[in-house]
Amino acid sequence: GAGVSQTPSNKVTEKGKYVELRCDPISGHTALYWYRQSLGQGPEFLIYFQGTGAADDSGLPNDRFFAVRPEGSVSTLKIQRTERGDSAVYLCASSLTGGPNTEAFFGQGTRLTVV
Amino acid sequence: KQEVTQIPAALSVPEGENLVLNCSFTDSAIYNLQWFRQDPGKGLTSLLLIQSSQREQTSGRLNASLDKSSGRSTLYIAASQPGDSATYLCAVRPMDSSYKLIFGSGTRLLVRP
């Protein structure tokens, strides 16, 4: 596609429920990233994929969070037993490679609200 | 641990003013620094990327400078317009984890007509 696409754009869920957030990167981009942005803050790194594998998942806050990228393209961020503190905008980005001089392109984000 | 700070947190100026947004970072071991724009409810749009070996980059009315040794960058916006109203974020790419972007909290800019 023309850019990074994230669905849904908004998600409201009840505390304790399970949610999945989807990211379609730019075609041909091998690197994919998830970030989380709380209100009034900058995005914070969650996880980095190079191809199908998670090269760095050190930013995932706890084991309720998990992400996959089974075919090296679309990625899904999964959150189990959601808590109100998980409410934030979840941003996905992709880049041609994971190298330091390749530009990352961001999607519009999914705004998650846990009530 | 790398920390990125942006000052001011918010800024309101009349249309036509030239303005400067500041970004500072604690660890100078970076590959590059990038300035982004974020409109309400939207994702991030890249404005300028400065490599660590560069001193500045320009795009239209925007000019970004980088002083890596002192851990500072500025984004200069000339002849501001109401359409420039947005949140401006700076981010550094650290050498020890070059795939990551470490962001500041942003400066919310309002340009009044």
Side-chain angles (χ1 to χ4, degrees), chain B residues 45-65:
Chain B
T45 301
S46 178
L47 297 173
L48 290 164
L49 185 151
I50 313 176
Q51 300 296 346
S52 61
S53 59
Q54 296 176 318
R55 298 286 291 182
E56 65 179 271
Q57 280 284 344
T58 297
S59 176
R61 294 182 294 108
L62 305 180
N63 176 277
S65 68

Side-chain angles (χ1 to χ4, degrees), chain A residues 33 35 37 42 56 100-101 103, chain B residues 32 38 46 51 93 99 101:
Chain A
Y33 319 81
Y35 287 79
Q37 186 175 24
D56 183 350
N101 295 315
E103 186 175 355
Chain B
N32 53 52
Q38 186 172 34
S46 178
Q51 300 296 346
R93 198 178 287 275
Y99 44 85
L101 288 167

Side-chain angles (χ1 to χ4, degrees), chain B residues 63-105:
Chain B
N63 176 277
S65 68
L66 174 64
D67 184 342
K68 196 177 75 160
S69 60
S70 68
R72 289 186 295 186
S73 176
T74 61
L75 179 67
Y76 175 83
I77 303 177
S80 59
Q81 303 170 358
D84 296 330
S85 299
T87 295
Y88 291 81
L89 294 155
C90 74
V92 299
R93 198 178 287 275
M95 282 191 170
D96 62 356
S97 49
S98 61
Y99 44 85
K100 277 186 195 177
L101 288 167
I102 310 290
F103 286 86
S105 295

Side-chain angles (χ1 to χ4, degrees), chain B residues 20-60:
Chain B
V20 174
L21 308 182
N22 296 291
C23 173
S24 62
F25 47 96
T26 55
D27 188 343
S28 62
I30 63 170
Y31 275 108
N32 53 52
L33 182 145
Q34 201 164 354
W35 283 91
F36 293 87
R37 170 184 172 137
Q38 186 172 34
D39 292 283
K42 305 289 187 183
L44 278 65
T45 301
S46 178
L47 297 173
L48 290 164
L49 185 151
I50 313 176
Q51 300 296 346
S52 61
S53 59
Q54 296 176 318
R55 298 286 291 182
E56 65 179 271
Q57 280 284 344
T58 297
S59 176

